[in-house]
Amino acid sequence: MQTSSSIAQRFRLDGKIAVVTGASKGIGEAIARGLAEFGAHVVVSSRKQDAVDAVAESIRTDGYEASALACHMGDVEAIHAFVDRVVDERGGIDIVVNNAAANPAFGPVEDTDGDAFDKIFDVNLRGPFELCKRALPSMRARGGGSIVNIASIGGLNPERGIGMYSVSKAALINLTQTFAKEWGPDGVRANAICPGFIQTKFSRVMWENDALLGKLERRLPLGRIGQAEEMAGLAVFLASDAASYCTGGVYLADGGYMLI
């Protein structure tokens, strides 16, 4: 924890190494850019190397620090190799943002087959578990760290049509709190962000339908769906020493959806 009394300084991430998964677009990309803007060296990760190369190059063009390294979050061996390479090349890991997610099943839960179930839980739950567990020794050696898991309002109140995705996010929230409880003595904090309806590829079916979008926006207290960039500030806060007494928290960023 920084000893400076300056609140502004506590938000700075200079010298920190941050890993962001699912960062080739949407919420992950926005968070990667935000962390870099506040001084972190961000390792941009997603499944395709060319996609993360483009994001990292764009961040560097803006004058910030970033590198790119592809990783499939459903492949345990790939995750371990990814973490080991980041630690070897960058000297360690201070911040982990688990944003990568999968949802190959839309519709009633009884229609979710075993393959879809496995993919959802491999990427949405086991992936973050394996990445954080592998990064833990480095965080301990560096005096602590911050884990920010991107969950969902579906993890708090199951959404129709994406039932097993919602279940996986509920499990991710509990995993986050388990990390917080067990790793807090090592100086490792863990928090979860639950986005609401954000205008990303994942939610395209909803926001491209004018009738559905209008119905939702009329009900939302803020009167609109969110943008990926609006998730970045909360992630930067939780990653930084400004949130040094925050762990095990579940933070809504949903435009008031859970109040409906």
Side-chain angles (χ1 to χ4, degrees):
M1 174 178 166
Q2 296 179 18
T3 57
S4 170
S5 60
S6 166
I7 294 298
Q9 186 61 31
R10 290 180 183 272
F11 280 91
R12 294 298 306 175
L13 300 171
D14 304 279
K16 303 293 187 181
I17 306 299
V19 169
V20 184
T21 70
S24 62
K25 58 184 180 298
I27 291 173
E29 179 181 356
I31 290 174
R33 292 182 181 279
L35 295 174
E37 184 176 341
F38 275 78
H41 178 103
V42 179
V43 180
V44 181
S45 185
S46 191
R47 288 187 63 180
K48 297 181 179 180
Q49 187 65 44
D50 59 346
V52 292
D53 282 339
V55 173
E57 176 61 28
S58 176
I59 291 173
R60 291 193 296 269
T61 298
D62 288 341
Y64 307 115
E65 295 185 17
S67 54
L69 185 58
C71 180
H72 182 4
M73 286 298 290
D75 183 332
V76 173
E77 291 186 2
I79 292 169
H80 291 177
F82 168 80
V83 171
D84 292 348
R85 182 170 171 184
V86 173
V87 171
D88 182 58
E89 294 183 355
R90 299 294 162 190
I93 295 174
D94 303 289
I95 299 161
V96 172
V97 179
N98 284 299
N99 174 69
N103 184 46
F106 292 88
V109 292
E110 66 263 29
D111 293 339
T112 304
D113 62 26
D115 288 342
F117 183 96
D118 288 344
K119 182 174 182 180
I120 290 168
F121 279 85
D122 282 348
V123 175
N124 298 3
L125 188 64
R126 187 168 185 186
F129 168 71
E130 294 288 350
L131 196 160
C132 291
K133 186 173 71 169
R134 194 75 169 190
L136 179 62
S138 175
M139 288 184 167
R140 281 175 171 156
R142 291 163 76 86
S146 176
I147 296 165
V148 181
N149 289 329
I150 308 303
S152 169
I153 54 172
L156 300 171
N157 185 18
E159 291 293 323
R160 292 183 184 275
I162 53 171
M164 296 317 302
Y165 173 86
S166 296
V167 171
S168 74
K169 292 300 188 176
L172 181 61
I173 290 169
N174 193 279
L175 179 67
T176 303
Q177 294 177 321
T178 299
F179 287 161
K181 183 172 287 189
E182 294 193 6
W183 298 348
D186 298 307
V188 176
R189 298 181 295 105
N191 293 282
I193 295 175
C194 294
F197 288 95
I198 310 300
Q199 192 170 359
T200 64
K201 182 179 179 181
F202 181 85
S203 62
R204 179 176 294 171
V205 172
M206 183 274 296
W207 55 261
E208 284 189 337
N209 184 312
D210 290 340
L212 286 176
L213 179 60
K215 182 179 180 180
L216 174 63
E217 290 185 329
R218 285 191 294 272
R219 296 181 66 198
L220 281 169
L222 290 186
R224 62 178 178 83
I225 63 171
Q227 300 299 313
E229 293 75 14
E230 294 181 287
M231 304 298 105
L234 183 52
V236 169
F237 165 69
L238 292 173
S240 75
D241 283 343
S244 58
Y245 203 58
C246 297
T247 196
V250 181
Y251 297 85
L252 293 171
D254 66 345
Y257 176 81
M258 293 295 288
L259 299 174
I260 297 174

